Amino acid sequence: MSAAVEVVFERRGAGAPLVLLHGIGHHWAAWSPVLDRLAEAHDVIAVDLPGFGRSPVPAGGLPADMPGLVAGIVELFAALGLDRPHVAGNSLGGAIALELAAAGAVSSATALSPAGFCTPGELRWALTVLTLHRNAARLPEPVLRSLFASPALRTLALGMILARPNRMALAEALADARALREARAFRAVARAGRGYAFAGAPTVPVTVAWGTRDRILPYRQAALPRTRLPAARHVELAGCGHVPMHDDPELVASVILGTTGARAA
């Protein structure tokens, strides 16, 4: 693998390849609640995007825009020997998944609360909330541990991101906080994405699924992709927040497998 596509990933299962892409400030472990279920049907590769998780910033620097980021993921596919894998993504990862579908680089795409369908004001809101969470993640680890150990305080700390924060284990909450705090690409990606809007026209199977309790990219934004992507499957993730994999793992896994064709939609 070349330095340009050097990434850390978790790989499980066998079958048609399925690549999982996380959101800004997150890491591959965001998919942990659904990994084993998806691996029953697929060769699953959950990726730390460049500059996030344990993946380094590319030697040549981060891509300046979405086309550059998509090109890097296509290069990663080639490095891993993947020919048009299925892909699923959340938030930023959902936007990348749709762009990959529009480029014909994947066999199907599932986008969970994808970026690219909000107004400039809504995008500012989302980035402000995530930046505040990143600042809070810099608290000393013993403080964070005490915070997440209390159900009431965990709900206060994570309630903007998860609809059901107490379904997340303490170790997972701490790992997510570290990933957000140490996300080297956070500012650059946030800056590059300020003017982004999805405008592609995928010809492969696509599902856009949105949590009804998403407080980062609110559910009302799901109306726009319904108009712009009339051929796609549109799914309501009832009771789920912005990172639905923790809120309802079985529902999310079922939606993804319905898109890939591994089970009935």
Side-chain angles (χ1 to χ4, degrees), residues 11 15-19 43 45 73-74 76-87 104-108:
R11 194 166 192 169
L18 167 63
V19 178
D43 171 16
I45 305 102
I73 299 299
V74 171
L76 172 63
F77 291 167
L80 294 175
L82 305 178
D83 180 19
R84 298 182 71 245
H86 299 282
V87 66
V106 295
S107 292
S108 75

Side-chain angles (χ1 to χ4, degrees), residues 148 154 158 162 165-176 246:
F148 295 144
R154 184 187 302 190
L158 301 178
L162 303 174
N166 290 313
R167 293 190 176 184
M168 176 181 277
L170 173 60
E172 292 175 319
L174 288 169
D176 277 8
H246 284 282

Side-chain angles (χ1 to χ4, degrees), residues 24 52 123 127 131 185-195:
I24 186 171
F52 295 100
L123 181 57
L127 291 175
T131 298
F186 184 94
R187 289 183 180 177
V189 171
R191 189 164 49 247
R194 282 178 182 151

Side-chain angles (χ1 to χ4, degrees), residues 4-5 63 65-78 96 99-100 103 105:
V5 290
D65 52 23
M66 181 63 79
L69 185 53
V70 170
I73 299 299
V74 171
E75 188 180 354
L76 172 63
F77 291 167
I96 297 171
E99 293 288 354
L100 288 164

